[in-house]
């Protein structure tokens, strides 16, 4: 079943009275449970696509349907609630509040949600946060400040935070971009596991090793999707074929003009 449908999406910025068409008639779909990677050269519109589809940025024209609802027709407050309750976000820059502990940063979005009010709900949120932190191996840093942990631990905390409201989809913009190779592999392992458990993921990346672990890769250039490569689901068995997936993707990207 399709979770996300994008039709003729356009995004135009006016800079010094000149039009800059960042996205031009983009059409795409994302099915429930899929993991889709977006690749393309710098300035091709990758991050803009992610931000417009998720309602973080206004669209100029076209239509974005999320779970059967037209985001482009929603009021700002409705979009804000939708993002909080049904979407999770992970960024390259790990935005967290400096005056809160790791644990408090993770639970904050759930406490702010409409469904997170009251003692019973708070108990359930606290239990969910502890379970997530155990799953991602960071339960021992719960009380630490954000400047007392490693980059990998902080990104795993960001993943916990993105999952705290049990979203239908996670949008990730270069989630491994600021990490070394070992930590990047660990973070991708967690994202693949989360995806295998049913959460849809759409991520922007420039890293072939990351993209090769997705189900499908979309190549964007000059604001439009120029091609699509389908792998199928990455599994433990596929781990044996990791290099083969990367090689196939590399060849295809070269054909696309990467």
């Amino acid at each position: 079943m399709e979770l996300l449908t994008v039709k003729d999406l356009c995004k135009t910025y006016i800079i010094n009275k000149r039009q800059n068409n960042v996205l031009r008639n983009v059409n795409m779909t994302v099915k429930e449970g899929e993991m889709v990677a977006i690749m393309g050269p710098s300035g091709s519109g990758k991050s803009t696509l992610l931000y417009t589809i998720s309602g973080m940025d206004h669209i100029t024209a076209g239509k974005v349907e999320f779970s059967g609802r037209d985001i482009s027709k929603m009021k700002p407050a409705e979009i804000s609630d939708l993002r909080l309750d049904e979407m999770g976000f992970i960024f390259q820059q790990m935005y967290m509040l400096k005056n809160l502990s790791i644990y408090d940063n993770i639970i904050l979005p759930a406490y702010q949600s409409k469904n997170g009010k009251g003692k019973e709900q708070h108990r359930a949120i606290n239990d969910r946060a502890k379970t997530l932190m155990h799953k991602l191996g960071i339960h021992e840093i719960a009380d630490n400040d954000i400047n007392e942990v490693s980059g990998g631990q902080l990104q795993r905390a960001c993943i916990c935070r993105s999952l705290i409201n049990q979203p239908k989809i996670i949008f990730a913009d270069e989630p491994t971009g600021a990490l070394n190779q070992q930590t990047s592999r660990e973070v991708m392992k967690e994202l693949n596991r989360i995806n295998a458990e049913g959460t849809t993921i759409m991520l922007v990346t420039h890293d072939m090793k990351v993209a090769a672990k997705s189900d499908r890769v979309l190549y964007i250039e000059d604001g439009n999707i120029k091609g699509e490569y389908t792998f199928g689901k990455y599994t433990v068995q596929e781990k044996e074929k990791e290099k083969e997936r990367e090689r196939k993707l590399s060849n295809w990207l070269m054909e696309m003009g990467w």
Side-chain angles (χ1 to χ4, degrees), residues 45-71:
K46 300 187 296 294
S47 294
T48 303
L49 179 61
L50 200 75
Y51 295 153
T52 48
I53 285 175
S54 62
M56 289 179 73
D57 201 355
H58 298 294
I59 69 173
T60 305
K63 191 176 183 182
V64 177
E65 280 187 4
F66 177 76
S67 209
R69 288 159 290 174
D70 188 349
I71 290 180

Side-chain angles (χ1 to χ4, degrees), residues 190-248:
E190 296 303 337
L191 289 177
N192 279 120
R193 187 173 58 73
I194 290 157
N195 178 241
E197 289 172 358
T199 304
T200 308
I201 297 176
M202 183 175 175
L203 61 89
V204 163
T205 185
H206 67 276
D207 189 334
M208 270 193 294
K209 291 180 188 296
V210 169
K213 292 184 175 76
S214 64
D215 306 354
R216 198 157 51 99
V217 181
L218 303 177
Y219 187 79
I220 186 169
E221 189 174 42
D222 297 329
N224 210 329
I225 293 170
K226 294 288 171 69
E228 177 182 313
Y229 190 90
T230 303
F231 282 113
K233 190 62 71 184
Y234 179 83
T235 61
V236 176
Q237 290 77 19
E238 284 295 319
K239 193 172 185 347
E240 306 302 317
K241 301 175 184 172
E242 215 168 282
K243 288 281 182 275
E244 189 184 330
R245 283 171 79 111
E246 288 169 20
R247 183 180 53 76
K248 286 179 178 176

Side-chain angles (χ1 to χ4, degrees), residues 101-117:
S101 67
I102 294 289
Y103 178 78
D104 287 340
N105 265 289
I106 289 169
I107 63 171
L108 182 62
Y111 274 46
Q112 289 178 323
S113 167
K114 283 185 296 190
N115 304 320
K117 311 298 181 195

Side-chain angles (χ1 to χ4, degrees), residues 151-185:
Q153 288 172 321
L154 195 57
Q155 193 61 299
R156 283 197 285 269
C158 289
I159 294 172
C160 289
R161 182 181 59 185
S162 76
L163 288 165
I164 194 66
N165 282 336
Q166 299 166 297
K168 291 180 178 175
I169 190 169
I170 287 177
F171 292 101
D173 190 8
E174 299 281 9
T176 62
L179 306 174
N180 62 36
Q181 279 203 340
Q182 176 59 30
T183 311
S184 174
R185 276 195 295 272

